[in-house]
Amino acid sequence: MDLTEQVENELCQTGIEELDVMLGGGVPTGSTVLVVGSSGSGKTTLCMQYLINGARRGERGVFFTITEPLFKLTKNMEGFDFYDKQLIESGMVNLIDLRIISERLGLDTEKYTVEDAAALLDVLKDIADELNVKRLVIDSITALCYRLQTKEMIRDFIFKLGSSLAAMKCTTFLTSEVPPRVFQYSQYGIEEFIADGIIFLGDVERKGDLIRTFQVIKLRGQAHSRTKLAMSISSRNGVELAPLLKSRE
Ligand SMILES: Nc1ncnc2c1ncn2[C@@H]1O[C@H](COP(=O)(O)OP(=O)(O)OP(=O)(O)O)[C@@H](O)[C@H]1O
Ligand SMILES: [Mg+2]
């Protein structure tokens, strides 16, 4: 195996160029990365771009949504040039609404018992195995946990999810919703502990403008930059990163 091949097998390239550079090539294959941000910070867009970029490299992906119905998700994503309907139709990127899965399992879609959550987790795992996916997204872990009734149930579920994901071979991005302008990684304070990596999408106010920021907080097993970058979202390029401080000319 030559070096390039080895890097390709061991690292999962996000396809977001500046991020892969920051990470020294990509995310270690098989890791779980928490994508943290407040409402509108770009979590869904970043995760979809990660899956589409993977599909273009021949890596099958699955996107489990629980926050947005599929028609809304696809409508939003169709506004981006990177989004390719054909990759969805060909099954290279699979979009699955967890609420529909819950309904099919005969579960209450808004409230889960411990057994419901375990059943859902099993189905999620079966789907990932059956499709042989290399990339998995759950959008969001916050909304999933919100359906559990007690802190203990949430804690138990998060740890079960963590061990299921760790046993899978795919590289996972989980989104985590946090309040705006607060530096915390999760709603329940434990989601970050099952994550190998944390990406924080924030913003800074500058002259009345809100600038999107992007920072890799941690990534187990990988030396990486922790520099805060400016992030932009455009129809043409989706999520893009650039240095926050423009270098002096
Ligand atoms: N086609 C587009 N072109 C440029 N920017 C867009 C486009 N579509 C969405 N955006 C920007 O991206 C933001 C939403 O990004 P996204 O839905 O990925 O955020 P999110 O973190 O998932 O939000 P939420 O927590 O509400 O789910 C919008 O608020 C808008 O500023
Ligand atoms: Mg979203």
Side-chain angles (χ1 to χ4, degrees):
M1 206 186 323
D2 67 22
L3 190 65
T4 337
E5 226 177 308
Q6 192 183 353
V7 167
E8 279 185 8
N9 285 337
E10 289 174 3
L11 294 175
C12 171
Q13 286 183 20
T14 66
I16 296 160
E17 216 179 291
E18 304 82 351
L19 174 58
D20 289 331
V21 170
M22 255 176 121
L23 299 178
V27 178
T29 304
S31 350
T32 298
V33 177
L34 200 64
V35 178
V36 183
S38 61
S39 182
S41 58
K43 304 180 292 295
T44 301
T45 310
L46 175 76
C47 289
M48 187 63 79
Q49 214 169 328
Y50 158 73
L51 288 189
I52 297 275
N53 289 341
R56 291 215 169 94
R57 301 169 52 84
E59 297 180 14
R60 196 186 297 273
V62 62
F63 190 106
F64 291 103
T65 176
I66 194 157
T67 47
E68 281 176 288
L70 290 184
F71 77 91
K72 254 192 168 169
L73 174 70
T74 46
K75 190 169 168 284
N76 292 342
M77 291 302 134
E78 275 166 9
F80 291 105
D81 289 359
F82 70 76
Y83 189 74
D84 184 349
K85 237 177 168 174
Q86 265 193 325
L87 291 174
I88 315 290
E89 284 162 5
S90 68
M92 281 308 285
V93 175
N94 299 271
L95 309 180
I96 297 177
D97 188 336
L98 278 176
R99 278 167 301 193
I100 291 177
I101 303 270
S102 311
E103 254 172 44
R104 287 198 192 138
L105 291 173
L107 313 180
D108 179 338
T109 52
E110 299 305 319
K111 243 187 224 172
Y112 296 150
T113 62
V114 173
E115 293 76 26
D116 293 350
L120 199 61
L121 208 53
D122 282 343
V123 172
L124 203 134
K125 218 170 141 255
D126 287 348
I127 293 175
D129 283 346
E130 205 168 300
L131 295 173
N132 191 22
V133 296
K134 298 273 182 287
R135 300 183 184 214
L136 189 147
V137 170
I138 302 177
D139 188 18
S140 70
I141 186 173
T142 319
L144 202 52
C145 290
Y146 176 75
R147 288 164 165 77
L148 291 159
Q149 308 305 300
T150 64
K151 267 205 150 165
E152 288 68 37
M153 283 167 73
I154 291 171
R155 177 196 294 263
D156 185 55
F157 174 73
I158 289 175
F159 284 116
K160 274 197 187 124
L161 174 68
S163 33
S164 290
L165 293 174
M168 292 192 219
K169 289 196 183 75
C170 52
T171 311
T172 302
F173 276 27
L174 301 173
T175 66
S176 167
E177 299 165 39
V178 291
R181 241 94 0 106
V182 178
F183 202 64
Q184 74 185 54
Y185 302 138
S186 62
Q187 186 73 38
Y188 304 102
I190 29 178
E191 295 90 314
E192 52 267 46
F193 296 109
I194 63 159
D196 302 296
I198 300 176
I199 289 173
F200 192 88
L201 309 183
D203 42 39
V204 287
E205 202 172 331
R206 195 180 279 168
K207 294 183 185 153
D209 204 3
L210 267 188
I211 313 224
R212 297 181 192 278
T213 63
F214 179 105
Q215 198 167 21
V216 178
I217 307 292
K218 77 163 182 181
L219 187 55
R220 290 178 184 146
Q222 188 87 334
H224 62 88
S225 156
R226 299 183 90 224
T227 305
K228 194 182 269 183
L229 298 180
M231 180 176 121
S232 60
I233 304 181
S234 67
S235 310
R236 187 142 179 239
N237 301 317
V239 167
E240 253 186 322
L241 307 173
L244 190 57
L245 297 169
K246 285 203 181 91
S247 58
R248 289 197 191 103
E249 321 248 293

